[in-house]
Amino acid sequence: MTSFFKNTTKISFFLIFLSLNTIFHGSLVSLCGIIKFLIPISKFHIVISKIAYWISGGYVLINNFLIKVFYDPEWDIQGLDNLSMNGTYLVMSNHLSLLDIPTLQRVFFQQIPFLRFFIKQQLIFVPFLGQALWALNFPSMKRYSKETLNKHPELRGKDLETTKSSCENLRGQPVTMLIYAEGTRFTPEKHRRTNSTYKNLLKPRAGGINTVLRSLGDELTSILNVTLVYPGHNSPSLFDFLLGRIPKVFIRIEALKLGENEVPSLETIKSTKGSLAVKNFLNHTWKAKDKIISKIHTEKSIAGTLN
C-alpha cells in the first residue's frame, strides 16, 4: 500500500510540473508566432525565431531536469563525438514510443541545432500549437487521401512539392531534421501486418529522407543514424515510464557522410536513380540497426538472468 501511494504521488507531481512547463514555455513560443505573423519583416522573423528557439531550449532543459529528479534512468550513449551547434544534420531513427522525442531532445541538447520534424500542414491552423510550430519554422507536409487523389489526379506529387518547399526554407542556417523512416511507431501488430523482414523494426520508407537529402544535401554536415533501445520493451508506453519500468535507455549514434561507404552521393540522389539509391541505403542501414537492437536486448536479458 505504501508503495502504491508513493508511486501515485510521484506520478502526480511529475505530470503537474511537466504540464506547467509545457503551458509556460508553450505560451511564450505561441506568442512569438503571433508577433511574427503581425510583423511581416523577414529580418525580424529571423530574430523572433531565435527567441522562440531559446525559449524551447528552456523547455527541454526543465524537462530533462524533471526526468532526472523523478526517475533518473541510466543513459548508455555512444557516438556523440564531433557534433556542432552550427552544423546541418539529418537525424534518422527507429521509432518505438511517444518517449522517443523527449529522449532524443535529451541526448542532442546543446550538441546539435534544435530538433525539427515534419508536421501536417493542417496543424498550422490549430490555436496556440500552430503559432508555436510556425514560430519554430517546423517544415510542413500536405497529404492527400486516396479518395481525393482519385477524384483529382492533378494533385499527385503536390504533397512532395510542399515538403520540398518547406525544406528549401531551412537553407542557409544551422538546422537538424528528425525523420522516422518507418513512418509510424513500432508495435508487434504493425510488425505482423506489414510482414516486416526485420525482427525489431518496420520497413523503412525513402520518401521523406530522399526529399531532405535532395534539398539540404549540399549543406549537410552529416546524417546521424540513431538506434534507440529500451531494454525489455519493444514498444514502451508512457505508463511504462511513469511506473518506473524503463530504468535504462540505450542510444547508438553513427555519423554518416554522403558518398561514403553505403551512403549515396548527392549527385546520385539528385539523379533519376536517386530514390532507389536512398531506398537501398536505408535497407542496408536497417539490417545493421536490427542486429544492434537484438544484441542489446540479448545482452540485457542475459545480465538480468545472472543477477
Side-chain angles (χ1 to χ4, degrees), residues 33-188:
I34 295 172
I35 295 172
K36 182 179 176 181
F37 176 77
L38 295 175
I39 306 177
I41 302 173
S42 58
K43 289 186 178 180
F44 178 77
H45 284 185
I46 295 173
V47 174
I48 203 71
S49 292
K50 288 182 178 179
I51 294 174
Y53 275 104
W54 181 78
I55 295 170
S56 298
Y59 172 72
V60 174
L61 183 65
I62 292 178
N63 271 359
N64 293 344
F65 174 75
L66 292 175
I67 291 172
K68 181 173 179 58
V69 169
F70 283 90
Y71 292 97
D72 198 20
E74 181 181 352
W75 300 88
D76 189 320
I77 306 170
Q78 295 179 12
L80 278 176
D81 307 313
N82 303 317
L83 301 180
S84 171
M85 287 292 291
N86 295 315
T88 296
Y89 297 93
L90 168 59
V91 174
M92 58 180 199
S93 172
N94 57 314
H95 194 12
L96 301 172
S97 168
L98 290 172
L99 303 171
D100 294 350
I101 288 181
T103 293
L104 292 175
Q105 286 176 332
R106 190 268 182 200
V107 171
F108 288 118
F109 184 66
Q110 294 297 308
Q111 300 287 332
I112 57 178
F114 190 83
L115 294 174
R116 277 180 271 200
F117 44 86
F118 287 111
I119 60 171
K120 293 182 180 180
Q121 200 172 57
Q122 297 91 321
L123 289 178
I124 296 296
F125 303 102
V126 177
F128 298 106
L129 175 62
Q131 290 80 47
L133 295 173
W134 189 57
L136 293 168
N137 292 328
F138 272 58
S140 63
M141 61 190 302
K142 191 170 186 177
R143 290 177 177 171
Y144 298 100
S145 66
K146 290 182 179 180
E147 293 77 13
T148 300
L149 291 175
N150 288 333
K151 291 181 180 179
H152 303 279
E154 70 277 7
L155 294 177
R156 293 185 186 277
K158 291 291 185 181
D159 52 348
L160 288 179
E161 289 180 15
T162 301
T163 303
K164 182 179 178 181
S165 176
S166 294
C167 287
E168 293 289 341
N169 292 333
L170 298 175
R171 292 181 60 83
Q173 57 183 303
V175 63
T176 299
M177 279 300 303
L178 166 64
I179 291 185
Y180 294 116
E182 294 157 298
T184 184
R185 281 176 285 150
F186 177 96
T187 66

